[in-house]
Amino acid sequence: MSMATEIVQLLVQSAGTWLFEGTRSDLSDREWMALRFLALANRLSRTPTALAGFLGTTRGGASQITAALQEKGLVVRKPSADDKRSITLCLTAEGEKFLKQDPINALRDQIVALEGSDRSRLRDTLRRVLVGLDVAERRHHTDVCNQCVFLVENGEGKDRHFKCRLFRKSIAPTETSQLCTYFEGRS
Ligand code: SF4
């Protein structure tokens, strides 16, 4: 077996923490994926359309998943602060608490236990692999805002501020480390 095949096998086996049959803590793997995404996404990506893009499903499919999460009291729909005609999906306090039971936390804890340099290498290597897949599949993967070609930083110190050139909106400093479905890499 080549090293590349061995690595693919290891990745496939680690996927068992987030891809599973049935439910865990009463949520399907898709519902967990949606809840996790909404907890990590910036405000521009906490929409039904962006969620559908992240899950690789239709808007109808994403709506069903959102409805299930709303019924369990984990997510609420709020009018967007940027555009009152749009909806922002937000985790409730119960949703935030529920994430402590996320089955993917077992994988996160193993990564936290790695040496810091191994962790950075793993992150950068996986990102390079995803960028390569994006080129092959003509798509952009979801990633953190501060790596995006559309993010512009102006000013210094207290006057430092960020702007998204795609949406022409201000981005809060805390949002620059959050996920965005509309992300486009710099390379
Ligand atoms: S700068 Fe890029 S990642 Fe950030 S909000 Fe805009 S499109 Fe999304």
Side-chain angles (χ1 to χ4, degrees):
M1 179 167 48
S2 71
M3 192 190 289
T5 304
E6 191 180 341
I7 292 169
V8 169
Q9 284 308 313
L10 292 169
L11 283 172
V12 167
Q13 289 183 67
S14 72
T17 56
W18 73 86
L19 292 175
F20 47 83
E21 298 286 330
T23 61
R24 293 198 190 161
S25 302
D26 207 24
L27 294 192
S28 68
D29 55 358
R30 276 301 178 90
E31 289 163 358
W32 274 117
M33 276 172 83
L35 191 67
R36 202 178 291 138
F37 173 74
L38 294 174
L40 298 174
N42 68 19
R43 73 185 194 286
L44 300 170
S45 279
R46 274 186 280 117
T47 64
T49 304
L51 177 63
F54 177 75
L55 294 174
T57 185
T58 59
R59 236 186 99 106
S63 292
Q64 277 183 357
I65 291 170
T66 309
L69 295 174
Q70 278 182 264
E71 216 167 281
K72 292 181 168 83
L74 305 176
V75 165
V76 285
R77 294 162 67 93
K78 292 184 181 171
S80 160
D82 295 311
D83 174 3
K84 296 286 176 238
R85 292 164 303 172
S86 304
I87 289 293
T88 304
L89 301 167
C90 302
L91 255 66
T92 60
E94 187 60 27
E96 301 275 1
K97 211 165 102 194
F98 201 79
L99 271 177
K100 294 200 168 64
Q101 306 171 48
D102 187 345
I104 212 170
N105 290 349
L107 177 62
R108 181 206 57 196
D109 294 346
Q110 291 305 314
I111 293 171
V112 167
L114 296 175
E115 293 286 335
S117 55
D118 287 344
R119 212 163 39 234
S120 314
R121 234 185 340 262
L122 180 60
R123 178 198 59 193
D124 297 344
T125 305
L126 284 175
R127 183 168 277 138
R128 276 208 303 279
V129 169
L130 276 174
V131 169
L133 288 172
D134 282 352
V135 172
E137 296 175 21
R138 295 186 185 175
R139 61 159 168 84
H140 303 294
H141 70 275
T142 295
D143 212 329
V144 285
C145 185
N146 60 26
Q147 301 290 314
C148 179
V149 71
F150 296 122
L151 189 71
V152 183
E153 180 180 349
N154 286 310
E156 283 179 15
K158 275 198 305 194
D159 295 328
R160 188 169 170 238
H161 59 276
F162 299 90
K163 193 160 181 179
C164 169
R165 285 189 293 124
L166 181 66
F167 287 96
R168 297 186 184 165
K169 291 196 186 298
S170 293
I171 300 291
T174 49
E175 288 184 301
T176 62
S177 59
Q178 292 179 325
L179 291 179
C180 178
T181 316
Y182 304 95
F183 165 91
E184 191 168 325
R186 296 202 173 107
S187 54

